[in-house]
Amino acid sequence: MKIDSTDFGSITIDGATYPHDVVIRLSGEVLKRNKRLSKQYYVASHTISVDEAEFVYEKGCDTLVLGSGQYGNVHLSPEAADFFANCDCRVVLQPTPQAIMAYNKTNGRAIGLFHVTC
């Protein structure tokens, strides 16, 4: 699985372009991000709630690469950060253009969550 590129509003993974935020599972499956899990608490999708963290996390994952948007506006809520820490899952949080490079270089069992707009 290789992330090819990102532009404002899209991400291209293994040649397929997705016009929305995505989650990449350990298996390589690409899913549309379920923003509703965070929007119900924070109105916008720029704060990752513990509910969304629990959905994104998979047992056996050692790294979450979180693309925080083209301008780096997304962050973890304190509860979500605690959740990943309690699962011994390292979080790499970077603006999406840098995060895709980090994801492509990961060794081990990584999942990805990529915000493709602001």
Side-chain angles (χ1 to χ4, degrees):
M1 164 96 11
K2 180 181 181 283
I3 303 174
D4 303 315
S5 64
T6 185
D7 288 311
F8 192 91
S10 68
I11 189 167
T12 302
I13 303 167
D14 285 340
T17 300
Y18 300 86
H20 50 72
D21 294 0
V22 298
V23 173
I24 302 175
R25 294 288 190 198
L26 288 175
S27 66
E29 178 183 16
V30 179
L31 304 173
K32 184 175 182 179
R33 177 181 169 209
N34 187 350
K35 294 179 184 182
R36 183 182 42 146
L37 294 170
S38 291
K39 283 178 133 181
Q40 67 184 340
Y41 300 108
Y42 300 108
V43 182
S45 60
H46 293 138
T47 303
I48 306 296
S49 70
V50 71
D51 288 356
E52 188 169 5
E54 290 172 353
F55 172 77
V56 169
Y57 178 76
E58 292 180 80
K59 187 174 178 150
C61 170
D62 55 30
T63 304
L64 165 67
V65 178
L66 176 53
S68 61
Q70 304 300 322
Y71 310 118
N73 289 333
V74 172
H75 62 277
L76 293 172
S77 68
E79 298 82 8
D82 289 344
F83 172 80
F84 286 113
N86 290 335
C87 292
D88 293 322
C89 181
R90 180 175 71 106
V91 176
V92 176
L93 183 122
Q94 298 176 323
T96 300
Q98 289 77 37
I100 65 171
M101 290 185 283
Y103 182 85
N104 286 339
K105 292 178 183 176
T106 57
N107 293 318
R109 301 189 42 86
I111 53 176
L113 190 160
F114 298 94
H115 184 67
V116 296
T117 57
C118 51

